[in-house]
Amino acid sequence: MGYNKEENDGLVIEQNSTPKVDESLKKDSVEQNISEGIEQPGQGVAALLGKDIDELKKMLGNPSRVDLSAYGFHWWIFNTDPDQYIQAGVLNGKVVTAYGIGPKVDVLPFKIGQPIEEVFSMNVIVPEVTFEYNGSSYKFELSEQDMNTRPVIKMGDYFVQLYIDKFTSSVSSIRYMDKETIIKQRPYEMVYRGTLIEPPVLSEGDWVRIEAGLEKQILDITNAIRSRHELQLLEWDEKTAEVAYAHSKDMAIEDYFSHESEKYGDLSERLKAADILYEVAGENIAANYTDAPAVVEGWLNSESHREALLNDEFSHLGVGVYQKHYTQNFLKMWNQQ
């Protein structure tokens, strides 16, 4: 029985600070023509934004499942093909956000796998993005790392967030959002003037549903990335998922961020306590990421976490999410060839 512990190597956690009120954000100085940037394509994932449920079904068919998000909308999951994986976020009967990964996904005006040099040569990528919504002014401030790994571009009345694989210098996946969604998610440092739109207050029951959806989305997106690299897709293992969930919850409640728990030990000890037999195991952890697409893309851009995602020995995966704490446990099962 082997144990390959994926060490925490300084994985950068997404910005999760309190939005700042900036009285210097005057309306006349912040106002930008929202048409600056790119036009919304008439086809592909970008064209889903603003569509109603009937149009969504007409374009993509029925979803494999529907997951609640922490931001008020429901994710419609289309996962029958890992090379054409799409999540569409529906709020009040309309698509307000969409995410796509895989070489077969139409993400016009971009392409999955597109070299980052092409993206930067054809689009204006700026460190500050300002806009108005419902009479309030907002400004997102992107760090240098944000600019290089998850830049945002205006697209008509919407925004495009590109996830860049820094190891291949290419587009890994793409997210589209309306203004209200990006304000709720706050993926970057945010300064605002006016009335701040807050994410919904969530009950304990809401979190149970949200966490279950996040866990399966992380499996789906991990497999989409493994498919891209021509690796074996991972199978879900429920017992391992329970171990992963217990570690995420322990990190959250005991307020620590580590592969090793004072109470329950490291991954090998936790798997042994659950009577899980395996040959090789690995673990990725993260905290405070927006959601499943964000956390998996974060792991992909961290060398040791990437090694676990793309390890060709692993055959099974258990994912545990407790609110904003995430744990992935990878296994090569005993006698698995």
Side-chain angles (χ1 to χ4, degrees), residues 272-305:
K272 182 178 180 181
D275 295 323
I276 296 173
L277 299 178
Y278 63 95
E279 293 188 40
V280 182
E283 179 171 84
N284 285 342
I285 59 175
N288 294 335
Y289 276 78
T290 303
D291 55 14
V295 72
V296 178
E297 290 290 355
W299 281 325
L300 187 66
N301 270 337
S302 173
E303 187 171 1
S304 69
H305 300 82

PDB file of all heavy atoms in Angstrom, residues 272-305:
ATOM      1  N   LYS A 272      -7.043   4.782   6.085  1.00  0.00           N
ATOM      2  CA  LYS A 272      -6.961   3.536   6.862  1.00  0.00           C
ATOM      3  C   LYS A 272      -8.113   3.441   7.855  1.00  0.00           C
ATOM      4  O   LYS A 272      -8.743   2.376   8.017  1.00  0.00           O
ATOM      5  CB  LYS A 272      -5.625   3.464   7.599  1.00  0.00           C
ATOM      6  CG  LYS A 272      -5.434   2.181   8.397  1.00  0.00           C
ATOM      7  CD  LYS A 272      -4.064   2.159   9.071  1.00  0.00           C
ATOM      8  CE  LYS A 272      -3.882   0.867   9.877  1.00  0.00           C
ATOM      9  NZ  LYS A 272      -2.548   0.859  10.557  1.00  0.00           N
ATOM     10  N   ALA A 273      -8.436   4.548   8.510  1.00  0.00           N
ATOM     11  CA  ALA A 273      -9.527   4.559   9.486  1.00  0.00           C
ATOM     12  C   ALA A 273     -10.866   4.258   8.827  1.00  0.00           C
ATOM     13  O   ALA A 273     -11.781   3.726   9.481  1.00  0.00           O
ATOM     14  CB  ALA A 273      -9.583   5.919  10.183  1.00  0.00           C
ATOM     15  N   ALA A 274     -10.982   4.562   7.531  1.00  0.00           N
ATOM     16  CA  ALA A 274     -12.223   4.300   6.790  1.00  0.00           C
ATOM     17  C   ALA A 274     -12.205   2.943   6.102  1.00  0.00           C
ATOM     18  O   ALA A 274     -13.131   2.624   5.348  1.00  0.00           O
ATOM     19  CB  ALA A 274     -12.446   5.400   5.756  1.00  0.00           C
ATOM     20  N   ASP A 275     -11.156   2.144   6.358  1.00  0.00           N
ATOM     21  CA  ASP A 275     -11.026   0.793   5.770  1.00  0.00           C
ATOM     22  C   ASP A 275     -11.036   0.832   4.242  1.00  0.00           C
ATOM     23  O   ASP A 275     -11.647  -0.016   3.588  1.00  0.00           O
ATOM     24  CB  ASP A 275     -12.147  -0.131   6.273  1.00  0.00           C
ATOM     25  CG  ASP A 275     -12.057  -0.401   7.761  1.00  0.00           C
ATOM     26  OD1 ASP A 275     -10.927  -0.529   8.266  1.00  0.00           O
ATOM     27  OD2 ASP A 275     -13.105  -0.455   8.421  1.00  0.00           O
ATOM     28  N   ILE A 276     -10.347   1.821   3.674  1.00  0.00           N
ATOM     29  CA  ILE A 276     -10.234   1.933   2.221  1.00  0.00           C
ATOM     30  C   ILE A 276      -8.894   1.361   1.788  1.00  0.00           C
ATOM     31  O   ILE A 276      -7.832   1.811   2.241  1.00  0.00           O
ATOM     32  CB  ILE A 276     -10.366   3.405   1.771  1.00  0.00           C
ATOM     33  CG1 ILE A 276     -11.762   3.938   2.120  1.00  0.00           C
ATOM     34  CG2 ILE A 276     -10.088   3.547   0.280  1.00  0.00           C
ATOM     35  CD1 ILE A 276     -11.940   5.420   1.862  1.00  0.00           C
ATOM     36  N   LEU A 277      -8.944   0.357   0.925  1.00  0.00           N
ATOM     37  CA  LEU A 277      -7.732  -0.281   0.422  1.00  0.00           C
ATOM     38  C   LEU A 277      -7.316   0.382  -0.885  1.00  0.00           C
ATOM     39  O   LEU A 277      -8.143   0.593  -1.775  1.00  0.00           O
ATOM     40  CB  LEU A 277      -7.970  -1.776   0.198  1.00  0.00           C
ATOM     41  CG  LEU A 277      -8.356  -2.594   1.438  1.00  0.00           C
ATOM     42  CD1 LEU A 277      -8.616  -4.047   1.058  1.00  0.00           C
ATOM     43  CD2 LEU A 277      -7.264  -2.515   2.498  1.00  0.00           C
ATOM     44  N   TYR A 278      -6.029   0.679  -0.993  1.00  0.00           N
ATOM     45  CA  TYR A 278      -5.545   1.356  -2.191  1.00  0.00           C
ATOM     46  C   TYR A 278      -4.056   1.077  -2.347  1.00  0.00           C
ATOM     47  O   TYR A 278      -3.389   0.606  -1.426  1.00  0.00           O
ATOM     48  CB  TYR A 278      -5.777   2.871  -2.072  1.00  0.00           C
ATOM     49  CG  TYR A 278      -5.005   3.511  -0.939  1.00  0.00           C
ATOM     50  CD1 TYR A 278      -3.762   4.112  -1.169  1.00  0.00           C
ATOM     51  CD2 TYR A 278      -5.488   3.496   0.364  1.00  0.00           C
ATOM     52  CE1 TYR A 278      -3.033   4.663  -0.133  1.00  0.00           C
ATOM     53  CE2 TYR A 278      -4.772   4.052   1.405  1.00  0.00           C
ATOM     54  CZ  TYR A 278      -3.549   4.642   1.153  1.00  0.00           C
ATOM     55  OH  TYR A 278      -2.827   5.186   2.185  1.00  0.00           O
ATOM     56  N   GLU A 279      -3.547   1.357  -3.533  1.00  0.00           N
ATOM     57  CA  GLU A 279      -2.115   1.215  -3.799  1.00  0.00           C
ATOM     58  C   GLU A 279      -1.402   2.561  -3.714  1.00  0.00           C
ATOM     59  O   GLU A 279      -0.332   2.666  -3.127  1.00  0.00           O
ATOM     60  CB  GLU A 279      -1.883   0.594  -5.176  1.00  0.00           C
ATOM     61  CG  GLU A 279      -2.345  -0.858  -5.279  1.00  0.00           C
ATOM     62  CD  GLU A 279      -1.922  -1.486  -6.592  1.00  0.00           C
ATOM     63  OE1 GLU A 279      -0.789  -1.233  -7.043  1.00  0.00           O
ATOM     64  OE2 GLU A 279      -2.737  -2.216  -7.178  1.00  0.00           O
ATOM     65  N   VAL A 280      -2.004   3.590  -4.326  1.00  0.00           N
ATOM     66  CA  VAL A 280      -1.423   4.935  -4.319  1.00  0.00           C
ATOM     67  C   VAL A 280      -2.545   5.931  -4.061  1.00  0.00           C
ATOM     68  O   VAL A 280      -3.667   5.743  -4.540  1.00  0.00           O
ATOM     69  CB  VAL A 280      -0.739   5.260  -5.669  1.00  0.00           C
ATOM     70  CG1 VAL A 280      -0.105   6.654  -5.632  1.00  0.00           C
ATOM     71  CG2 VAL A 280       0.320   4.221  -6.013  1.00  0.00           C
ATOM     72  N   ALA A 281      -2.240   6.966  -3.295  1.00  0.00           N
ATOM     73  CA  ALA A 281      -3.250   7.999  -3.012  1.00  0.00           C
ATOM     74  C   ALA A 281      -2.624   9.382  -3.112  1.00  0.00           C
ATOM     75  O   ALA A 281      -1.418   9.552  -2.913  1.00  0.00           O
ATOM     76  CB  ALA A 281      -3.849   7.795  -1.623  1.00  0.00           C
ATOM     77  N   GLY A 282      -3.441  10.359  -3.419  1.00  0.00           N
ATOM     78  CA  GLY A 282      -2.995  11.751  -3.484  1.00  0.00           C
ATOM     79  C   GLY A 282      -4.114  12.667  -3.027  1.00  0.00           C
ATOM     80  O   GLY A 282      -5.290  12.288  -3.052  1.00  0.00           O
ATOM     81  N   GLU A 283      -3.756  13.861  -2.611  1.00  0.00           N
ATOM     82  CA  GLU A 283      -4.760  14.782  -2.082  1.00  0.00           C
ATOM     83  C   GLU A 283      -4.485  16.213  -2.530  1.00  0.00           C
ATOM     84  O   GLU A 283      -3.344  16.677  -2.506  1.00  0.00           O
ATOM     85  CB  GLU A 283      -4.757  14.725  -0.553  1.00  0.00           C
ATOM     86  CG  GLU A 283      -5.733  15.663   0.123  1.00  0.00           C
ATOM     87  CD  GLU A 283      -5.819  15.388   1.620  1.00  0.00           C
ATOM     88  OE1 GLU A 283      -4.964  15.922   2.359  1.00  0.00           O
ATOM     89  OE2 GLU A 283      -6.739  14.638   2.038  1.00  0.00           O
ATOM     90  N   ASN A 284      -5.542  16.897  -2.950  1.00  0.00           N
ATOM     91  CA  ASN A 284      -5.505  18.331  -3.210  1.00  0.00           C
ATOM     92  C   ASN A 284      -6.477  19.019  -2.266  1.00  0.00           C
ATOM     93  O   ASN A 284      -7.583  18.519  -2.052  1.00  0.00           O
ATOM     94  CB  ASN A 284      -5.927  18.647  -4.652  1.00  0.00           C
ATOM     95  CG  ASN A 284      -4.849  18.320  -5.670  1.00  0.00           C
ATOM     96  OD1 ASN A 284      -3.683  18.171  -5.323  1.00  0.00           O
ATOM     97  ND2 ASN A 284      -5.242  18.223  -6.926  1.00  0.00           N
ATOM     98  N   ILE A 285      -6.072  20.163  -1.719  1.00  0.00           N
ATOM     99  CA  ILE A 285      -6.965  20.950  -0.875  1.00  0.00           C
ATOM    100  C   ILE A 285      -6.948  22.407  -1.348  1.00  0.00           C
ATOM    101  O   ILE A 285      -5.999  22.852  -2.002  1.00  0.00           O
ATOM    102  CB  ILE A 285      -6.584  20.873   0.619  1.00  0.00           C
ATOM    103  CG1 ILE A 285      -5.154  21.389   0.849  1.00  0.00           C
ATOM    104  CG2 ILE A 285      -6.755  19.454   1.148  1.00  0.00           C
ATOM    105  CD1 ILE A 285      -4.751  21.460   2.320  1.00  0.00           C
ATOM    106  N   ALA A 286      -8.009  23.127  -1.015  1.00  0.00           N
ATOM    107  CA  ALA A 286      -8.101  24.550  -1.339  1.00  0.00           C
ATOM    108  C   ALA A 286      -9.170  25.175  -0.458  1.00  0.00           C
ATOM    109  O   ALA A 286      -9.977  24.475   0.159  1.00  0.00           O
ATOM    110  CB  ALA A 286      -8.437  24.756  -2.815  1.00  0.00           C
ATOM    111  N   ALA A 287      -9.182  26.506  -0.403  1.00  0.00           N
ATOM    112  CA  ALA A 287     -10.196  27.215   0.382  1.00  0.00           C
ATOM    113  C   ALA A 287     -10.516  28.552  -0.262  1.00  0.00           C
ATOM    114  O   ALA A 287      -9.665  29.176  -0.905  1.00  0.00           O
ATOM    115  CB  ALA A 287      -9.709  27.431   1.814  1.00  0.00           C
ATOM    116  N   ASN A 288     -11.769  28.959  -0.081  1.00  0.00           N
ATOM    117  CA  ASN A 288     -12.258  30.291  -0.453  1.00  0.00           C
ATOM    118  C   ASN A 288     -12.377  30.541  -1.951  1.00  0.00           C
ATOM    119  O   ASN A 288     -12.501  31.696  -2.358  1.00  0.00           O
ATOM    120  CB  ASN A 288     -11.392  31.386   0.187  1.00  0.00           C
ATOM    121  CG  ASN A 288     -11.506  31.397   1.693  1.00  0.00           C
ATOM    122  OD1 ASN A 288     -12.511  30.957   2.249  1.00  0.00           O
ATOM    123  ND2 ASN A 288     -10.483  31.865   2.365  1.00  0.00           N
ATOM    124  N   TYR A 289     -12.353  29.516  -2.752  1.00  0.00           N
ATOM    125  CA  TYR A 289     -12.599  29.704  -4.183  1.00  0.00           C
ATOM    126  C   TYR A 289     -14.087  29.918  -4.435  1.00  0.00           C
ATOM    127  O   TYR A 289     -14.946  29.450  -3.688  1.00  0.00           O
ATOM    128  CB  TYR A 289     -12.099  28.500  -4.976  1.00  0.00           C
ATOM    129  CG  TYR A 289     -10.624  28.566  -5.290  1.00  0.00           C
ATOM    130  CD1 TYR A 289      -9.677  28.264  -4.321  1.00  0.00           C
ATOM    131  CD2 TYR A 289     -10.172  28.939  -6.548  1.00  0.00           C
ATOM    132  CE1 TYR A 289      -8.328  28.331  -4.593  1.00  0.00           C
ATOM    133  CE2 TYR A 289      -8.824  29.009  -6.829  1.00  0.00           C
ATOM    134  CZ  TYR A 289      -7.902  28.708  -5.848  1.00  0.00           C
ATOM    135  OH  TYR A 289      -6.561  28.778  -6.127  1.00  0.00           O
ATOM    136  N   THR A 290     -14.382  30.600  -5.542  1.00  0.00           N
ATOM    137  CA  THR A 290     -15.756  30.935  -5.886  1.00  0.00           C
ATOM    138  C   THR A 290     -16.636  29.711  -6.020  1.00  0.00           C
ATOM    139  O   THR A 290     -17.737  29.637  -5.501  1.00  0.00           O
ATOM    140  CB  THR A 290     -15.787  31.723  -7.215  1.00  0.00           C
ATOM    141  OG1 THR A 290     -14.980  32.885  -7.072  1.00  0.00           O
ATOM    142  CG2 THR A 290     -17.200  32.115  -7.587  1.00  0.00           C
ATOM    143  N   ASP A 291     -16.138  28.696  -6.766  1.00  0.00           N
ATOM    144  CA  ASP A 291     -16.945  27.509  -7.054  1.00  0.00           C
ATOM    145  C   ASP A 291     -16.073  26.439  -7.688  1.00  0.00           C
ATOM    146  O   ASP A 291     -14.833  26.550  -7.675  1.00  0.00           O
ATOM    147  CB  ASP A 291     -18.138  27.863  -7.955  1.00  0.00           C
ATOM    148  CG  ASP A 291     -17.736  28.558  -9.248  1.00  0.00           C
ATOM    149  OD1 ASP A 291     -16.546  28.538  -9.601  1.00  0.00           O
ATOM    150  OD2 ASP A 291     -18.625  29.126  -9.923  1.00  0.00           O
ATOM    151  N   ALA A 292     -16.699  25.396  -8.246  1.00  0.00           N
ATOM    152  CA  ALA A 292     -15.960  24.257  -8.790  1.00  0.00           C
ATOM    153  C   ALA A 292     -15.046  24.627  -9.961  1.00  0.00           C
ATOM    154  O   ALA A 292     -13.872  24.234  -9.974  1.00  0.00           O
ATOM    155  CB  ALA A 292     -16.933  23.147  -9.190  1.00  0.00           C
ATOM    156  N   PRO A 293     -15.532  25.346 -10.987  1.00  0.00           N
ATOM    157  CA  PRO A 293     -14.619  25.710 -12.078  1.00  0.00           C
ATOM    158  C   PRO A 293     -13.390  26.469 -11.580  1.00  0.00           C
ATOM    159  O   PRO A 293     -12.264  26.202 -12.015  1.00  0.00           O
ATOM    160  CB  PRO A 293     -15.495  26.581 -12.987  1.00  0.00           C
ATOM    161  CG  PRO A 293     -16.883  26.101 -12.750  1.00  0.00           C
ATOM    162  CD  PRO A 293     -16.922  25.779 -11.284  1.00  0.00           C
ATOM    163  N   ALA A 294     -13.591  27.404 -10.652  1.00  0.00           N
ATOM    164  CA  ALA A 294     -12.480  28.209 -10.157  1.00  0.00           C
ATOM    165  C   ALA A 294     -11.462  27.370  -9.399  1.00  0.00           C
ATOM    166  O   ALA A 294     -10.250  27.522  -9.589  1.00  0.00           O
ATOM    167  CB  ALA A 294     -13.005  29.331  -9.267  1.00  0.00           C
ATOM    168  N   VAL A 295     -11.921  26.464  -8.550  1.00  0.00           N
ATOM    169  CA  VAL A 295     -10.980  25.709  -7.733  1.00  0.00           C
ATOM    170  C   VAL A 295     -10.206  24.688  -8.566  1.00  0.00           C
ATOM    171  O   VAL A 295      -8.996  24.506  -8.376  1.00  0.00           O
ATOM    172  CB  VAL A 295     -11.676  25.034  -6.531  1.00  0.00           C
ATOM    173  CG1 VAL A 295     -12.550  23.869  -6.945  1.00  0.00           C
ATOM    174  CG2 VAL A 295     -10.644  24.582  -5.503  1.00  0.00           C
ATOM    175  N   VAL A 296     -10.856  24.022  -9.518  1.00  0.00           N
ATOM    176  CA  VAL A 296     -10.135  23.045 -10.339  1.00  0.00           C
ATOM    177  C   VAL A 296      -9.102  23.748 -11.218  1.00  0.00           C
ATOM    178  O   VAL A 296      -7.976  23.267 -11.379  1.00  0.00           O
ATOM    179  CB  VAL A 296     -11.100  22.202 -11.193  1.00  0.00           C
ATOM    180  CG1 VAL A 296     -10.312  21.226 -12.069  1.00  0.00           C
ATOM    181  CG2 VAL A 296     -12.065  21.418 -10.307  1.00  0.00           C
ATOM    182  N   GLU A 297      -9.463  24.902 -11.785  1.00  0.00           N
ATOM    183  CA  GLU A 297      -8.493  25.645 -12.586  1.00  0.00           C
ATOM    184  C   GLU A 297      -7.351  26.157 -11.701  1.00  0.00           C
ATOM    185  O   GLU A 297      -6.206  26.259 -12.157  1.00  0.00           O
ATOM    186  CB  GLU A 297      -9.171  26.802 -13.313  1.00  0.00           C
ATOM    187  CG  GLU A 297     -10.103  26.371 -14.439  1.00  0.00           C
ATOM    188  CD  GLU A 297      -9.377  25.791 -15.641  1.00  0.00           C
ATOM    189  OE1 GLU A 297      -8.117  25.802 -15.666  1.00  0.00           O
ATOM    190  OE2 GLU A 297     -10.061  25.315 -16.566  1.00  0.00           O
ATOM    191  N   GLY A 298      -7.644  26.471 -10.440  1.00  0.00           N
ATOM    192  CA  GLY A 298      -6.583  26.860  -9.517  1.00  0.00           C
ATOM    193  C   GLY A 298      -5.620  25.725  -9.270  1.00  0.00           C
ATOM    194  O   GLY A 298      -4.393  25.907  -9.276  1.00  0.00           O
ATOM    195  N   TRP A 299      -6.140  24.524  -9.031  1.00  0.00           N
ATOM    196  CA  TRP A 299      -5.280  23.352  -8.850  1.00  0.00           C
ATOM    197  C   TRP A 299      -4.454  23.077 -10.101  1.00  0.00           C
ATOM    198  O   TRP A 299      -3.275  22.719 -10.010  1.00  0.00           O
ATOM    199  CB  TRP A 299      -6.133  22.133  -8.524  1.00  0.00           C
ATOM    200  CG  TRP A 299      -6.601  22.064  -7.097  1.00  0.00           C
ATOM    201  CD1 TRP A 299      -5.926  22.477  -5.983  1.00  0.00           C
ATOM    202  CD2 TRP A 299      -7.845  21.533  -6.628  1.00  0.00           C
ATOM    203  NE1 TRP A 299      -6.678  22.240  -4.854  1.00  0.00           N
ATOM    204  CE2 TRP A 299      -7.855  21.653  -5.214  1.00  0.00           C
ATOM    205  CE3 TRP A 299      -8.955  20.962  -7.258  1.00  0.00           C
ATOM    206  CZ2 TRP A 299      -8.926  21.224  -4.428  1.00  0.00           C
ATOM    207  CZ3 TRP A 299     -10.028  20.539  -6.480  1.00  0.00           C
ATOM    208  CH2 TRP A 299     -10.009  20.668  -5.080  1.00  0.00           C
ATOM    209  N   LEU A 300      -5.063  23.243 -11.264  1.00  0.00           N
ATOM    210  CA  LEU A 300      -4.361  22.963 -12.521  1.00  0.00           C
ATOM    211  C   LEU A 300      -3.138  23.858 -12.685  1.00  0.00           C
ATOM    212  O   LEU A 300      -2.142  23.450 -13.289  1.00  0.00           O
ATOM    213  CB  LEU A 300      -5.314  23.155 -13.705  1.00  0.00           C
ATOM    214  CG  LEU A 300      -4.789  22.735 -15.080  1.00  0.00           C
ATOM    215  CD1 LEU A 300      -4.575  21.228 -15.150  1.00  0.00           C
ATOM    216  CD2 LEU A 300      -5.752  23.185 -16.178  1.00  0.00           C
ATOM    217  N   ASN A 301      -3.182  25.063 -12.125  1.00  0.00           N
ATOM    218  CA  ASN A 301      -2.069  26.002 -12.263  1.00  0.00           C
ATOM    219  C   ASN A 301      -1.082  25.959 -11.107  1.00  0.00           C
ATOM    220  O   ASN A 301      -0.240  26.845 -10.966  1.00  0.00           O
ATOM    221  CB  ASN A 301      -2.610  27.423 -12.433  1.00  0.00           C
ATOM    222  CG  ASN A 301      -2.845  27.777 -13.887  1.00  0.00           C
ATOM    223  OD1 ASN A 301      -2.246  27.185 -14.787  1.00  0.00           O
ATOM    224  ND2 ASN A 301      -3.718  28.737 -14.138  1.00  0.00           N
ATOM    225  N   SER A 302      -1.189  24.939 -10.262  1.00  0.00           N
ATOM    226  CA  SER A 302      -0.253  24.739  -9.163  1.00  0.00           C
ATOM    227  C   SER A 302       0.454  23.406  -9.394  1.00  0.00           C
ATOM    228  O   SER A 302      -0.194  22.366  -9.529  1.00  0.00           O
ATOM    229  CB  SER A 302      -1.010  24.720  -7.828  1.00  0.00           C
ATOM    230  OG  SER A 302      -0.159  24.383  -6.768  1.00  0.00           O
ATOM    231  N   GLU A 303       1.775  23.432  -9.450  1.00  0.00           N
ATOM    232  CA  GLU A 303       2.526  22.286  -9.980  1.00  0.00           C
ATOM    233  C   GLU A 303       2.201  20.959  -9.310  1.00  0.00           C
ATOM    234  O   GLU A 303       1.899  19.971  -9.976  1.00  0.00           O
ATOM    235  CB  GLU A 303       4.025  22.559  -9.894  1.00  0.00           C
ATOM    236  CG  GLU A 303       4.863  21.472 -10.579  1.00  0.00           C
ATOM    237  CD  GLU A 303       6.325  21.860 -10.688  1.00  0.00           C
ATOM    238  OE1 GLU A 303       6.696  22.951 -10.231  1.00  0.00           O
ATOM    239  OE2 GLU A 303       7.096  21.050 -11.242  1.00  0.00           O
ATOM    240  N   SER A 304       2.268  20.879  -7.980  1.00  0.00           N
ATOM    241  CA  SER A 304       2.043  19.595  -7.321  1.00  0.00           C
ATOM    242  C   SER A 304       0.572  19.172  -7.399  1.00  0.00           C
ATOM    243  O   SER A 304       0.266  17.984  -7.525  1.00  0.00           O
ATOM    244  CB  SER A 304       2.502  19.644  -5.863  1.00  0.00           C
ATOM    245  OG  SER A 304       1.670  20.484  -5.100  1.00  0.00           O
ATOM    246  N   HIS A 305      -0.337  20.135  -7.336  1.00  0.00           N
ATOM    247  CA  HIS A 305      -1.753  19.811  -7.464  1.00  0.00           C
ATOM    248  C   HIS A 305      -2.056  19.329  -8.888  1.00  0.00           C
ATOM    249  O   HIS A 305      -2.866  18.425  -9.090  1.00  0.00           O
ATOM    250  CB  HIS A 305      -2.610  21.030  -7.124  1.00  0.00           C
ATOM    251  CG  HIS A 305      -2.403  21.523  -5.725  1.00  0.00           C
ATOM    252  ND1 HIS A 305      -1.361  22.340  -5.390  1.00  0.00           N
ATOM    253  CD2 HIS A 305      -3.109  21.305  -4.584  1.00  0.00           C
ATOM    254  CE1 HIS A 305      -1.417  22.614  -4.089  1.00  0.00           C
ATOM    255  NE2 HIS A 305      -2.471  22.003  -3.578  1.00  0.00           N
TER     256      HIS A 305
END
